[in-house]
Short mmCIF file of all heavy atoms in Angstrom, two decimals:
data_model
loop_
_atom_site.label_atom_id
_atom_site.label_comp_id
_atom_site.label_asym_id
_atom_site.label_seq_id
_atom_site.Cartn_x
_atom_site.Cartn_y
_atom_site.Cartn_z
N SER A 11 100.62 144.72 14.64
CA SER A 11 101.03 145.95 15.34
C SER A 11 102.55 146.04 15.39
O SER A 11 103.13 147.12 15.27
CB SER A 11 100.44 146.01 16.75
OG SER A 11 100.97 144.98 17.55
N GLU A 57 109.48 154.78 23.14
CA GLU A 57 110.89 154.46 23.25
C GLU A 57 111.29 153.51 22.12
O GLU A 57 112.33 153.70 21.48
CB GLU A 57 111.13 153.80 24.61
CG GLU A 57 112.56 153.79 25.05
CD GLU A 57 112.69 153.25 26.47
OE1 GLU A 57 111.80 153.55 27.31
OE2 GLU A 57 113.64 152.52 26.73
N MET A 68 99.49 163.29 37.58
CA MET A 68 98.85 164.26 38.47
C MET A 68 97.95 163.52 39.46
O MET A 68 97.33 162.52 39.10
CB MET A 68 98.04 165.27 37.65
CG MET A 68 98.87 165.94 36.56
SD MET A 68 97.88 167.05 35.55
CE MET A 68 98.07 168.59 36.45
N PHE A 121 90.57 162.91 19.28
CA PHE A 121 89.30 163.08 20.01
C PHE A 121 88.72 164.49 19.87
O PHE A 121 87.56 164.73 20.20
CB PHE A 121 89.48 162.79 21.51
CG PHE A 121 89.81 161.37 21.85
CD1 PHE A 121 90.26 161.03 23.15
CD2 PHE A 121 89.66 160.34 20.93
CE1 PHE A 121 90.56 159.72 23.48
CE2 PHE A 121 89.96 159.02 21.26
CZ PHE A 121 90.41 158.72 22.54
N GLY A 132 85.61 163.86 5.44
CA GLY A 132 86.61 163.27 4.55
C GLY A 132 87.85 164.11 4.36
O GLY A 132 88.55 163.99 3.35
N ASN A 181 84.32 152.75 1.84
CA ASN A 181 83.25 152.33 0.91
C ASN A 181 82.47 151.09 1.34
O ASN A 181 81.93 150.36 0.49
CB ASN A 181 83.81 152.13 -0.51
CG ASN A 181 84.40 153.41 -1.05
OD1 ASN A 181 83.74 154.45 -1.01
ND2 ASN A 181 85.62 153.36 -1.51
N ILE A 208 80.60 146.88 22.36
CA ILE A 208 79.39 147.10 23.17
C ILE A 208 79.71 147.13 24.66
O ILE A 208 78.91 147.58 25.49
CB ILE A 208 78.30 146.06 22.81
CG1 ILE A 208 76.92 146.49 23.30
CG2 ILE A 208 78.66 144.67 23.31
CD1 ILE A 208 75.76 145.69 22.74
N ASP A 227 86.58 142.13 17.55
CA ASP A 227 86.15 142.26 18.95
C ASP A 227 86.97 143.34 19.66
O ASP A 227 88.17 143.19 19.88
CB ASP A 227 86.35 140.90 19.63
CG ASP A 227 85.77 140.84 21.04
OD1 ASP A 227 85.36 141.88 21.57
OD2 ASP A 227 85.73 139.72 21.59
N ASP A 233 86.78 137.29 32.68
CA ASP A 233 85.63 136.39 32.86
C ASP A 233 85.61 135.86 34.30
O ASP A 233 86.43 136.27 35.13
CB ASP A 233 85.66 135.26 31.81
CG ASP A 233 86.82 134.30 32.02
OD1 ASP A 233 87.52 134.41 33.05
OD2 ASP A 233 87.02 133.43 31.14
N GLY A 260 94.37 140.97 19.71
CA GLY A 260 93.66 141.36 18.50
C GLY A 260 93.72 142.86 18.31
O GLY A 260 94.73 143.42 17.88
#
Side-chain angles (χ1 to χ4, degrees):
S11 66
E57 198 174 322
M68 306 177 90
F121 293 168
N181 300 309
I208 196 167
D227 188 351
D233 68 8

